[in-house]
Amino acid sequence: MADVPVRVEERLKIKIGEAKQLLPRSNLSSVVRDVYCILSLDQEEIYRTKTVEKTLNPFFGEEFQFEVPRDFRFISIYLFDRDKHLKQNKVLGKVAIKREELGSYNNKDHWFAIKPVDADSEVQGKVNIELKFTWSCQKSKSVTNYARNDRLLVQVVKCLDLTLKNGACDPYALACVTYTNRKSVSKRTKVRKKTTCPQFDEVLTFDSYEGRDKDGLCGDGGEVEICELNVSIWHDAPGMGDDVFLGEVRVQLSGIQQQNAAPRNAWYFLQPRSAKNRPSFTYSTPPGTRLSKDNSLGSLRLQVQYNEDRVFPAEIYKSLKDLLLKSVHTKPITSSAVYFLGEIISSKMEIAQPLVRIFMHHGQIVPIIKALADAEISMLTDPTTIFRGNTLVSKMMDEAMRLIGLQYLHKTLRPTIELIFNERKPCEIDPTRVRDANTVQTNLNNLKSYVLKVFEAITQSAVHCPALMCQIFHNLKECAMKRFPENKEVRYSVISGFIFLRFFAPAILGPRLFDLTNEQIDNQINRTLTLISKTIQSLGNLVSCRSTQQVCKEEYMETLYKEFYTESHVTAVRKFLEIISAISNPETIDSDTPVTLKEGLMIKRAQGRKRFGRKNFKQRYFKLTTHSLSYSKNRGKEPLCQIPLSNIWAVERLTEKSFKMKNMFQIVQPERTLYVQAANCVEEKEWVDLLTKICQTNMNRLKKYHPCAFINGHCESPNELAPGCSKVSSTESNNFHMTLDPERDLQRIHSLVISHMNQLEMIMYQPETFLKGTLQFKTYGIQDIKDCYMVLRDLRDVALEIETKHKTYMRTLARDTKYGSLAAPIGDDNYLLASRMNLDSLLLR
């Protein structure tokens, strides 16, 4: 297993709930605060919440999820107070969770104590230090005596991922040795400009005689020795007062000075600044990383879901894949591996997501959903409860619609969502929420206008509904009509329950989760979106309800519902539902209207179109559509440049040494290359992945590229138009809205099976108990206990076979990984603790 290529994939979902008991402002003008949160990987900002005004107990209720693009030590949530009067933002505190502790908080709400933010503790990154001891004889002031001189050679070889300070990083290293007589000597390297990954080629020399007293001896009359080394990294900030501390490493050297000792080379995690008289280098956890009873600064409620998967090559998962795909043809479906996974694993969405992706990758999503839906509907007696529960098939439908229908969702809703953000019209119609009752009618008119636009956009979008979604809806309708032939409304309600309640309404309520906007959502817009979402959700019920009382729960909403509960609106909804579920593969109408896929601010380097002029960096608003990539000075302005997608030959990351800037990538065009810097590492990954997907099938796509920019010709080729020197990245040729990774999804399923092995074996060895429904599982009847046992046995055996390979790999990794290497830096218990826990857990299974 040592030679098997294994990749580590991480995904993080974190919901920032609410904060309580924040400290009030000290000034008398305002006691309450305007609070927002920043989510960071170490010290790099990734996302920012809305600002909740005038409160000491703010509720955020925002969820962020992303693929983790790089190594990190902590997930940190910083709380800030936005003070309009002082025109500055003050940090109130933070919650920092260690990477290795994220899994212990999975899928549960936790209250974390907010800790103070100390500038000297805001460190990140690693440093590679090489030490070598030599010795010689040195004549002392006493002419007749010679003393041994120990010499320490220190080279700070390289640093990685240093903290940016005010957007810049000009680092240098300061080495300080302490002698046994408590005397210290410091020396520093030269400054390395504009880089978070500096390389230092200097060797700093320290002699033991430099620590001697005037008489040449130690204070107690003995020889002076070097007992400790402190290497600190600083950002050079001339004209800004003191230089900025970036982190330090303390190494105990007593007793290791040996004649002609071999060089000691190791990687270290940078640590917060040491307090006075703090013991030398320790492995303790930095403050603010664990739950604490100290809530003096308040507390923050978070829900975290962190997945780390070690993904093997496809052949390792072949048996598991075959067993899952066999479910499509298993009769009845309740004896299949997919069905049992839904019964065994309590979190239906957690298992539904990888299952949907696997079946989509193999083109089997339509038949597997049809089979599961048939089983669920066949056991119902009330048509109004179809897909209303938390079942596997309903969660698989949610995930399938999200993957298949993202472009359709954007085409349908994005124009109105953008209008709401631009106009910012008040829409509050609850009399208890407004100061002036006279504004309710105006607000109602505003809300009606927005609801009408959304309603028309949805009901007129049927021809654009993806064919795969239409086929699934067609099957669901047929199943429901067959089970309840006397109910004339079930043909509509079974589809509206998904398309309105679980597709359009959630996207309106949380547009950032569906990439419909990247703007901050304040309280007013959030309330507007909430009212529109509730109305659209209720309009989806019109096809099966005969009065407004059945859809209206709030009295103030009744007027709005009555406005739309007309025969024409009901007819429009039914016509829409008929079209999207009429046939398996409806023909869609080609439209020249481009659909926006992603947009946002980034920094670009001038492309050199003009004969004269500097190739400087400027901030531009980028917009990617299904037709082109463009950028303008500001959002909504005319594009300064528009690049047809067919002209994108390659999209690749750029090495930091090119411009000494992080998070940069390049867009290769026929005659020039556009260099772009994203806001952070997550944004960079999302842009590169999406653009790479789009240009994957371009006729002129490059096979090789230059990883460096041609400033002074970093590559061996004579110019930037010459053939590249590195192979371009590749992705699967799926629809570019779906980045499917079947090996990772199979690994996710394997991990879930292993963690629920007790439940699996309970059903396996007590099938009669399971059939009687005494366990906490809902079943639709298994007709052959023998088949049940065999499927469960196969599922268990396949999972254990893969787990054996994981154990072998982890043992090899623990044996071959050296503490102090780049993979396991010294300075934290992360590696030792994590590897020990992983190995112990594997051995206990």
Side-chain angles (χ1 to χ4, degrees):
M1 291 297 295
D3 299 329
V4 174
V6 178
R7 55 190 171 94
V8 179
E9 299 285 352
E10 300 169 279
R11 184 167 183 80
L12 181 69
K13 180 167 71 173
I14 184 165
K15 184 175 183 179
I16 302 177
E18 58 185 314
K20 285 188 176 180
Q21 299 177 344
L22 300 180
L23 295 181
R25 290 178 182 168
S26 56
N27 56 40
L28 298 179
S29 60
S30 177
V31 177
V32 293
R33 299 180 182 272
D34 299 336
V35 189
Y36 65 91
C37 296
I38 287 178
L39 172 64
S40 298
L41 282 178
D42 294 322
Q43 274 72 59
E44 182 181 7
E45 178 181 340
I46 304 299
Y47 295 111
R48 183 176 295 205
T49 70
K50 63 187 176 186
T51 300
V52 183
E53 299 181 342
K54 300 179 181 179
T55 180
L56 296 177
N57 300 288
F59 177 80
F60 302 101
E62 294 194 48
E63 183 177 283
F64 306 98
Q65 51 184 323
F66 57 94
E67 298 287 339
V68 180
R70 63 169 176 83
D71 288 337
F72 68 97
R73 294 171 68 188
F74 296 93
I75 283 291
S76 301
I77 296 90
Y78 295 85
L79 288 90
F80 284 84
D81 177 21
R82 186 189 67 187
D83 195 328
K84 297 179 181 178
H85 300 287
L86 299 178
K87 296 182 179 180
Q88 65 180 10
N89 299 334
K90 178 183 178 182
V91 62
L92 302 177
K94 72 172 181 178
V95 170
I97 309 175
K98 207 172 188 179
R99 176 182 178 179
E100 281 66 37
E101 295 174 351
L102 287 169
S104 62
Y105 303 126
N106 261 359
N107 295 318
K108 295 180 181 178
D109 282 351
H110 288 272
W111 284 96
F112 293 83
I114 299 171
K115 296 296 183 180
V117 176
D118 178 7
D120 288 340
S121 69
E122 294 297 283
V123 303
Q124 68 177 45
K126 318 175 195 60
V127 58
N128 182 212
I129 301 174
E130 183 171 294
L131 307 178
K132 181 175 175 59
F133 274 102
T134 62
W135 72 279
S136 62
C137 288
Q138 178 74 26
K139 188 174 182 180
S140 66
K141 291 188 176 182
S142 175
V143 178
T144 58
N145 293 329
Y146 284 82
R148 172 180 171 132
N149 175 55
D150 288 314
R151 171 169 292 176
L152 172 64
L153 306 177
V154 179
Q155 182 178 4
V156 183
V157 182
K158 186 177 183 179
C159 298
L160 293 177
D161 303 322
L162 298 179
T163 308
L164 287 171
K165 296 296 183 179
N166 296 321
C169 188
D170 298 329
Y172 67 86
L174 177 67
C176 176
V177 299
T178 302
Y179 297 90
T180 48
N181 62 354
R182 297 186 179 180
K183 185 177 179 180
S184 61
V185 175
S186 300
K187 297 179 183 181
R188 56 172 283 181
T189 68
K190 296 178 182 178
V191 176
R192 298 295 184 266
K193 292 289 186 179
K194 297 181 180 179
T195 178
T196 57
C197 301
Q199 290 184 330
F200 301 99
D201 53 5
E202 303 162 67
V203 176
L204 306 178
T205 304
F206 297 90
D207 292 293
S208 58
Y209 70 78
E210 293 178 296
R212 293 172 186 164
D213 297 329
K214 293 181 180 180
D215 59 359
L217 299 174
C218 183
D220 58 2
E223 288 291 336
V224 175
E225 290 186 350
I226 300 171
C227 63
E228 186 181 72
L229 169 68
N230 181 306
V231 175
S232 55
I233 309 298
W234 298 78
H235 165 58
D236 183 44
M240 301 294 291
D242 296 336
D243 291 344
V244 183
F245 176 78
L246 298 180
E248 71 174 14
V249 170
R250 302 181 68 186
V251 183
Q252 188 65 247
L253 299 177
S254 297
I256 67 170
Q257 293 97 316
Q258 299 176 10
Q259 182 177 355
N260 298 323
R264 299 162 57 91
N265 186 296
W267 282 90
Y268 299 82
F269 278 122
L270 287 170
Q271 302 293 327
R273 194 202 297 258
S274 304
K276 187 176 181 180
N277 298 325
R278 180 181 293 178
S280 62
F281 190 75
T282 64
Y283 299 98
S284 61
T285 304
T289 63
R290 298 180 185 274
L291 286 171
S292 170
K293 296 180 180 180
D294 179 14
N295 295 319
S296 58
L297 296 182
S299 53
L300 182 66
R301 180 165 61 89
L302 302 174
Q303 186 181 90
V304 178
Q305 182 177 330
Y306 172 72
N307 293 322
E308 180 186 50
D309 296 314
R310 298 184 183 273
V311 183
F312 290 117
E315 59 268 18
I316 302 295
Y317 303 103
K318 185 179 184 304
S319 298
L320 178 58
K321 178 197 70 176
D322 292 343
L323 184 60
L324 294 175
L325 295 179
K326 186 180 177 182
S327 299
V328 175
H329 308 289
T330 302
K331 303 294 183 182
I333 189 66
T334 48
S335 294
S336 69
V338 167
Y339 175 81
F340 281 119
L341 287 174
E343 297 298 292
I344 292 166
I345 296 167
S346 55
S347 175
K348 299 297 184 286
M349 181 53 78
E350 201 169 359
I351 185 62
Q353 288 178 337
L355 281 176
V356 167
R357 291 171 174 270
I358 289 168
F359 281 93
M360 286 188 67
H361 177 77
H362 293 282
Q364 296 292 312
I365 189 63
V366 173
I368 192 64
I369 287 182
K370 182 181 186 300
L372 291 169
D374 270 332
E376 179 166 333
I377 293 175
S378 67
M379 295 300 295
L380 298 178
T381 57
D382 184 357
T384 62
T385 62
I386 295 179
F387 301 127
R388 297 289 177 164
N390 181 28
T391 61
L392 177 64
V393 67
S394 64
K395 293 303 182 183
M396 288 181 68
M397 273 294 299
D398 291 346
E399 179 68 8
M401 288 190 299
R402 190 183 69 82
L403 287 177
I404 301 166
L406 186 61
Q407 180 175 338
Y408 169 54
L409 194 67
H410 282 216
K411 182 189 288 288
T412 307
L413 295 183
R414 193 174 189 119
T416 307
I417 295 294
E418 290 182 343
L419 185 67
I420 293 169
F421 276 89
N422 292 333
E423 292 184 343
R424 305 183 65 83
K425 291 181 179 179
C427 296
E428 183 56 72
I429 58 174
D430 184 353
T432 63
R433 288 174 172 257
V434 296
R435 294 181 180 179
D436 185 359
N438 295 324
T439 62
V440 171
Q441 186 58 46
T442 302
N443 294 351
L444 178 60
N445 292 335
N446 294 337
L447 183 57
K448 285 180 182 178
S449 173
Y450 288 142
V451 172
L452 182 61
K453 289 181 183 298
V454 173
F455 179 81
E456 291 179 344
I458 292 174
T459 54
Q460 295 172 12
S461 69
V463 293
H464 300 297
C465 186
L468 209 54
M469 282 177 64
C470 294
Q471 192 169 348
I472 293 174
F473 290 148
H474 174 75
N475 291 337
L476 296 181
K477 182 176 71 174
E478 293 295 315
C479 292
M481 290 172 61
K482 183 179 178 181
R483 179 71 180 91
F484 302 101
E486 73 288 349
N487 191 308
K488 304 303 180 183
E489 308 296 338
V490 74
R491 64 185 294 121
Y492 302 119
S493 60
V494 69
I495 307 303
S496 66
F498 280 114
I499 196 72
F500 280 99
L501 276 65
R502 307 176 80 131
F503 186 63
F504 286 123
I508 296 169
L509 184 61
R512 294 186 67 177
L513 294 177
F514 294 82
D515 294 325
L516 288 168
T517 184
N518 55 7
E519 294 192 26
Q520 293 297 318
I521 303 176
D522 58 29
N523 291 334
Q524 178 181 310
I525 289 182
N526 183 63
R527 180 60 177 166
T528 298
L529 296 174
T530 300
L531 292 173
I532 296 173
S533 178
K534 290 172 67 174
T535 308
I536 293 300
Q537 181 173 330
S538 298
L539 290 176
N541 291 327
L542 289 180
V543 294
S544 57
C545 297
R546 304 312 304 170
S547 68
T548 56
Q549 282 77 19
Q550 291 177 274
V551 295
C552 180
K553 295 182 180 179
E554 298 90 355
E555 184 178 346
Y556 63 86
M557 294 290 287
E558 186 174 353
T559 303
L560 181 63
Y561 290 157
K562 283 182 177 180
E563 188 79 17
F564 289 93
Y565 192 68
T566 66
E567 193 62 33
S568 62
H569 288 94
V570 173
T571 301
V573 171
R574 288 180 174 176
K575 181 180 178 182
F576 167 73
L577 296 174
E578 287 284 9
I579 294 174
I580 66 172
S581 62
I583 56 176
S584 299
N585 294 293
E587 295 182 2
T588 58
I589 297 177
D590 292 331
S591 174
D592 292 329
T593 303
V595 177
T596 302
L597 304 177
K598 187 172 178 62
E599 57 185 328
L601 287 170
M602 292 193 289
I603 296 173
K604 61 163 282 289
R605 182 175 185 255
Q607 299 183 73
R609 294 173 180 270
K610 297 180 180 179
R611 191 178 190 90
F612 301 101
R614 297 175 58 194
K615 291 186 178 181
N616 54 350
F617 288 87
K618 292 184 178 179
Q619 188 178 70
R620 292 289 182 257
Y621 193 86
F622 281 76
K623 186 174 183 179
L624 174 64
T625 72
T626 49
H627 291 183
S628 65
L629 173 69
S630 62
Y631 59 81
S632 54
K633 286 189 176 181
N634 296 294
R635 189 173 188 266
K637 298 294 184 182
E638 286 295 318
L640 298 173
C641 176
Q642 201 153 11
I643 306 170
L645 296 185
S646 58
N647 283 357
I648 298 179
W649 287 4
V651 182
E652 298 289 343
R653 289 177 173 82
L654 197 67
T655 55
E656 185 183 322
K657 66 181 180 181
S658 294
F659 299 107
K660 296 185 177 179
M661 296 168 65
K662 297 184 72 175
N663 306 322
M664 288 205 68
F665 62 95
Q666 54 183 314
I667 301 169
V668 183
Q669 305 169 68
E671 296 181 355
R672 59 182 59 85
T673 299
L674 176 62
Y675 300 110
V676 185
Q677 183 186 36
N680 54 60
C681 59
V682 173
E683 277 288 299
E684 178 204 16
K685 176 177 172 55
E686 291 177 354
W687 276 103
V688 171
D689 288 350
L690 187 54
L691 284 165
T692 301
K693 271 288 185 188
I694 293 173
C695 73
Q696 186 74 32
T697 56
N698 284 356
M699 296 294 293
N700 295 320
R701 178 167 166 76
L702 298 180
K703 294 183 178 180
K704 291 190 174 182
Y705 78 104
H706 301 293
C708 299
F710 273 83
I711 304 173
N712 298 311
H714 290 292
C715 296
E716 297 178 359
S717 304
N719 60 73
E720 61 182 307
L721 297 180
C725 53
S726 298
K727 188 176 180 180
V728 298
S729 304
S730 62
T731 57
E732 305 249 345
S733 57
N734 298 307
N735 183 302
F736 52 76
H737 297 294
M738 310 174 203
T739 306
L740 301 181
D741 186 348
E743 287 77 35
R744 183 180 182 182
D745 292 319
L746 288 165
Q747 172 55 38
R748 186 96 293 275
I749 291 174
H750 161 257
S751 297
L752 290 169
V753 173
I754 290 297
S755 62
H756 291 78
M757 187 60 73
N758 289 339
Q759 291 92 322
L760 187 152
E761 292 183 340
M762 189 182 301
I763 300 175
M764 181 178 172
Y765 293 116
Q766 300 178 9
E768 296 86 356
T769 306
F770 173 69
L771 289 174
K772 291 177 182 178
T774 56
L775 297 179
Q776 298 298 316
F777 304 114
K778 183 178 181 181
T779 180
Y780 307 113
I782 301 175
Q783 301 174 21
D784 192 328
I785 293 179
K786 184 178 179 181
D787 288 346
C788 162
Y789 175 83
M790 292 177 64
V791 170
L792 288 167
R793 182 200 61 192
D794 292 344
L795 190 58
R796 180 199 63 181
D797 293 348
V798 165
L800 292 178
E801 180 184 355
I802 298 173
E803 189 70 358
T804 300
K805 293 180 171 61
H806 275 277
K807 290 179 181 179
T808 303
Y809 171 77
M810 292 302 294
R811 289 193 190 98
T812 304
L813 184 67
R815 183 190 65 216
D816 296 345
T817 302
K818 180 182 177 183
Y819 193 48
S821 65
L822 179 58
I826 300 171
D828 209 343
D829 56 1
N830 285 1
Y831 165 69
L832 291 179
L833 177 63
S835 62
R836 184 70 262 165
M837 289 176 62
N838 287 338
L839 193 55
D840 289 345
S841 63
L842 286 170
L843 293 174
L844 288 172
R845 289 174 182 169

